[in-house]
Amino acid sequence: MKKLLYLLLSLLGFTACNEGGAGGGMMCEYGTPTTDFTVKGKVTDAAGVPIKGIVISSKGLSSFTDGSGLSAVTGEDGTFVTNKIKEFGIDGTLVFTDTDGEANGGDFATKEVDLLQMPKVQVKEGERWYRGEYEVTADIQLNKK
């Protein structure tokens, strides 16, 4: 019966923590840890020539800021920077897709890369539930189909 009462009280939002930590009690905190990050990099072919017009998208990210996920398109010099995303962690897959075929030097195969395997640099410190801001570098080589 006690367990049922505790379950009911917790579902209604009542807790056993002490607001402010007075009297040695634990401080009440609610939230989900988040991390802000952007991905930047350069896309080239096997010879090191920059590829324009490659679409960068994400898979496995559940962005809860605006739902758009990561996205970008490479410029003339093959470089890109994604929009900033707020996530639970830097975990997911980047997908590099050639959408224009032969128009930019060849018809390139789609490539998927795990974000956890890419170099990361923290650019802003976090605190409590906010883990900070990171830049992830993705220099990618695509092969022709």
Side-chain angles (χ1 to χ4, degrees):
M1 183 67 175
K2 247 186 197 180
K3 287 184 180 180
L4 181 60
L5 179 61
Y6 291 143
L7 176 65
L8 180 61
L9 289 174
S10 66
L11 289 173
L12 293 173
F14 297 99
T15 66
C17 62
N18 185 356
E19 187 66 43
M26 74 170 85
M27 183 178 253
C28 292
E29 292 188 26
Y30 301 94
T32 302
T34 61
T35 305
D36 291 337
F37 68 97
T38 56
V39 181
K40 64 180 184 174
K42 186 172 187 174
V43 179
T44 60
D45 65 13
V49 176
I51 308 170
K52 174 187 168 191
I54 299 298
V55 174
I56 296 92
S57 59
S58 61
K59 199 164 76 170
L61 295 173
S62 59
S63 172
F64 53 87
T65 47
D66 64 5
S68 64
L70 285 171
S71 61
V73 178
T74 58
E76 293 285 335
D77 60 354
T79 63
F80 68 92
V81 177
T82 66
N83 55 316
K84 186 186 295 185
I85 193 169
K86 183 177 288 293
E87 254 309 313
F88 301 116
I90 305 172
D91 185 14
T93 303
L94 284 185
V95 181
F96 296 82
T97 308
D98 182 0
T99 58
D100 61 10
E102 293 290 334
N104 287 308
D107 192 10
F108 295 94
T110 297
K111 184 170 190 172
E112 295 187 7
V113 183
D114 185 352
L115 274 167
L116 291 175
Q117 304 303 317
M118 297 178 190
K120 297 161 211 46
V121 175
Q122 188 170 18
V123 294
K124 182 178 180 184
E125 290 290 323
E127 59 183 54
R128 300 177 79 88
W129 292 103
Y130 177 61
R131 293 181 177 152
E133 184 175 338
Y134 290 80
E135 284 184 353
V136 180
T137 302
D139 291 329
I140 301 300
Q141 179 181 311
L142 295 182
N143 296 314
K144 291 186 179 182
K145 288 183 181 178

